[in-house]
């Protein structure tokens, strides 16, 4: 665990644009809007921001443009996280490292994306064949997009554990139920039935349309500072009890098909053990989880990798949805997740984790003490445990 000390840093501000299919503006403008919203939420001033973390995939990737647009006087720390959704919680990990080391005082983490009206993350890009050797090995065989890459893992998982058609649907249904009560969700007040789920077309076998996340335009920002400073700010702090990254051997970016068992996620298993050790708790102590749900099979597979259930027990745990709903054994994705609130590469899962700690979620879980947030499986990944102060 090195020198990490739990609860010495906290998330104090969260901000976001609306989530839509056509935002009508640039990623840079949305990043600025989300950061301004987070600064206001925290009760800070722009000149308090002296650190920034965003994604290598951001179109608005030049932090100097964001700093210039906002008029931030001095940025003492700046960093980027790779691997798409695997880097969402890692943005906070970088911020924690900077704040704990005294390099920066207030670090903003931001993701801005136009995945609906701009170039979609899942669009096939022929230029990658010449630059990424492993992509050159898979594209000629039709493995062109994230849904096809993760479909391979899901197909093996189905074969290994005898998953029946429709069993993944409970994840989609519970996410949609939670989104139906979240006015900011893209699927607000738009119910989904099991019959509609089963009737939806196959995107890439075995994944149906409703097994997949949304294409979304939007931006999310969160602000990390010291626990000492957090106590005097506007909002209840979400203390950071654990913040980790994980990269296992013999891996690729979403195509790690040459491991001994592709129905498992060794990065998640490795960082999960470290994460719970950091926080000094076990999976049984988690009150609500925001699990990265780009595709519905990823939820039961993560439940297994993180030790909530045994191998092969993730789908039975999700069966019927009662354990996953608010009031259940482990409520998940209480704003609707990436499948029904919006796909912001996981940053909106962090925001919802903070709202649960504050007690302000539209699907609030009673007596929340610890919240787990995960990042994308199938790539080098990351996770957080937030604690109520």
């Amino acid at each position: 665990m090195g020198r990490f000390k739990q609860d010495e840093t906290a998330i104090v501000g969260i901000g976001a644009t609306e989530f839509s299919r056509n935002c009508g503006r640039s990623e840079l403008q949305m990043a600025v809007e989300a950061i301004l919203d987070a600064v206001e939420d925290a009760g800070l001033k722009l000149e308090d921001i002296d650190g920034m973390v965003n994604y290598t995939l951001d179109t608005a990737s030049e932090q100097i443009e964001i700093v210039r647009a906002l008029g931030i006087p001095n940025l003492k720390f700046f960093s980027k996280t790779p691997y798409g959704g695997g880097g969402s919680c890692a943005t906070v990990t970088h911020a924690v490292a900077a704040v704990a080391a005294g390099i920066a005082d207030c670090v903003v983490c931001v993701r801005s994306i136009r995945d609906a009206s701009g170039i979609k993350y899942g669009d096939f890009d022929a230029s990658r064949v010449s630059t990424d050797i492993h992509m050159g090995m898979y594209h000629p065989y039709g493995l062109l997009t994230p849904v096809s890459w993760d479909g391979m893992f899901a197909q093996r998982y189905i074969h290994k554990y005898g998953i029946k058609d429709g069993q993944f649907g409970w994840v989609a249904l519970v996410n949609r139920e939670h989104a139906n009560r979240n006015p900011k969700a893209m699927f607000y007040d738009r119910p989904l039935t099991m019959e509609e789920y089963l009737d939806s077309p196959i995107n890439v076998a075995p994944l149906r349309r409703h097994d997949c996340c949304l294409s979304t335009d939007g931006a999310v920002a969160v602000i990390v500072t010291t626990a000492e400073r957090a106590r005097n700010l506007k909002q209840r702090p979400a203390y950071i009890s654990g913040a980790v990254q994980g990269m296992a051997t013999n891996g690729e970016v979403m195509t790690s098909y040459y491991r001994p068992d592709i129905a498992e996620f060794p990065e998640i298993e490795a960082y999960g053990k470290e994460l719970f050790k950091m926080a000094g708790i076990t999976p049984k102590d988690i009150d609500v989880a925001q699990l990265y749900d780009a595709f519905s099979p990823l939820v039961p597979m993560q439940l297994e990798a993180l030790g909530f259930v045994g191998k092969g027990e993730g789908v039975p745990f999700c069966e019927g949805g009662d354990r996953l709903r608010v009031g259940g054994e482990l409520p998940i994705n209480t704003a609707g997740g990436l499948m029904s609130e919006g796909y912001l590469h996981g940053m909106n899962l962090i925001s919802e984790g903070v709202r649960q700690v504050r007690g302000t979620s539209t699907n609030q879980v009673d007596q929340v003490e610890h919240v787990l947030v995960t990042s994308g499986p199938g790539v080098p990944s990351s996770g957080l445990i937030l604690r109520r102060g």
Side-chain angles (χ1 to χ4, degrees):
M1 292 189 294
R3 297 172 58 191
F4 178 86
K5 294 183 180 180
Q6 59 182 252
D7 305 334
E8 287 200 342
T9 56
I11 297 176
V12 295
I14 54 176
T17 65
E18 81 286 356
F19 301 155
S20 73
R21 296 193 186 278
N22 190 356
C23 64
R25 54 203 192 277
S26 69
E27 289 93 335
L28 174 60
Q29 183 172 337
M30 289 194 295
V32 167
E33 291 173 15
I35 291 170
L36 288 171
D37 193 26
V39 169
E40 170 65 25
D41 179 68
L44 292 166
K45 298 178 181 178
L46 267 175
E47 50 264 38
D48 294 319
I49 301 298
D50 59 359
M52 185 179 298
V53 188
N54 66 348
Y55 287 54
T56 57
L57 292 178
D58 277 345
T59 304
S61 59
E62 291 299 328
Q63 292 162 334
I64 53 174
E65 295 178 2
I66 300 174
V67 168
R68 183 170 61 244
L70 287 169
I72 294 173
N74 180 38
L75 209 63
K76 297 189 292 186
F77 171 79
F78 38 94
S79 176
K80 294 178 181 291
T81 61
Y83 306 117
S88 56
C89 293
T91 62
V92 175
T93 301
H94 285 210
V96 166
V99 171
I103 298 172
D105 296 316
C106 290
V107 180
V108 63
C109 308
V110 62
R111 175 66 166 131
S112 184
I113 185 173
R114 286 179 58 200
D115 194 54
S117 65
I119 297 175
K120 294 177 176 57
Y121 174 65
D123 283 348
F124 172 62
D125 182 355
S127 67
R128 296 183 70 183
V129 176
S130 61
T131 57
D132 293 344
I133 293 174
H134 70 278
M135 290 301 177
M137 294 291 290
Y138 302 128
H139 284 170
Y141 298 96
L143 291 168
L144 305 177
T145 59
V147 64
S148 64
W149 303 331
D150 270 11
M152 289 279 283
F153 297 115
Q155 196 73 272
R156 179 61 190 175
Y157 184 73
I158 287 170
H159 173 77
K160 183 175 181 179
Y161 295 116
I163 308 302
K164 294 180 173 57
D165 188 33
Q167 285 189 287
F168 291 137
W170 292 109
V171 173
L173 264 63
V174 169
N175 281 350
R176 185 66 68 87
E177 288 173 18
H178 291 161
N180 287 168
R181 296 188 290 271
N182 174 11
K184 295 185 178 180
M186 292 180 70
F187 274 124
Y188 171 62
D189 203 24
R190 293 174 61 184
L192 176 67
T193 66
M194 181 60 80
E195 183 180 13
E196 289 170 328
Y197 167 84
L198 292 170
D199 285 343
S200 66
I202 297 290
N203 279 358
V204 175
L207 302 175
R208 288 183 163 84
R209 175 182 294 167
H210 291 305
D211 285 314
C212 303
C213 62
L214 295 162
S215 291
T216 306
D217 288 3
V220 172
V222 303
I223 297 173
V224 176
T225 190
T226 63
E228 181 179 3
R229 185 169 191 174
R231 285 189 282 270
N232 299 315
L233 293 177
K234 186 176 175 182
Q235 305 288 353
R236 176 191 291 274
Y239 293 107
I240 300 167
S241 294
V244 298
Q245 293 176 256
M247 180 187 294
T249 191
N250 198 24
E252 297 175 359
V253 179
M254 297 189 73
T255 54
S256 302
Y257 303 140
Y258 296 97
R259 288 171 168 169
D261 191 344
I262 66 170
E264 299 179 359
F265 291 128
E267 294 90 355
I268 307 293
E269 292 185 19
Y271 89 56
K273 292 175 183 176
E274 183 71 9
L275 186 62
F276 287 114
K277 184 179 178 182
M278 274 185 174
I281 62 173
T282 71
K284 293 181 179 178
D285 296 306
I286 296 297
D287 302 300
V288 55
Q290 312 299 330
L291 299 176
Y292 198 95
D293 60 322
F295 307 103
S296 58
L298 300 182
V299 169
M301 293 174 76
Q302 285 179 89
L303 291 174
E304 295 173 20
L306 290 164
F308 287 97
V309 297
K311 302 292 185 182
E313 296 176 357
V315 169
F317 184 89
C318 298
E319 192 77 28
D322 287 341
R323 290 187 174 101
L324 308 180
R325 296 182 174 99
V326 174
E329 187 174 334
L330 183 67
I332 67 162
N333 301 358
T334 45
L338 312 182
M339 297 171 69
S340 286
E341 183 190 30
Y343 183 68
L344 278 296
H345 256 150
M347 288 297 287
N348 50 319
L349 299 179
I350 301 173
S351 294
E352 176 62 10
V354 173
R355 285 191 290 267
Q356 284 289 343
V357 166
R358 291 180 178 179
T360 60
S361 171
T362 54
N363 293 283
Q364 185 61 44
V365 176
D366 291 337
Q367 298 180 326
V368 168
E369 183 70 20
H370 294 104
V371 178
L372 171 71
V373 186
T374 70
S375 298
V379 293
S381 194
S382 51
L384 294 173
I385 292 177
L386 306 177
R387 185 183 68 81
R388 185 171 188 244

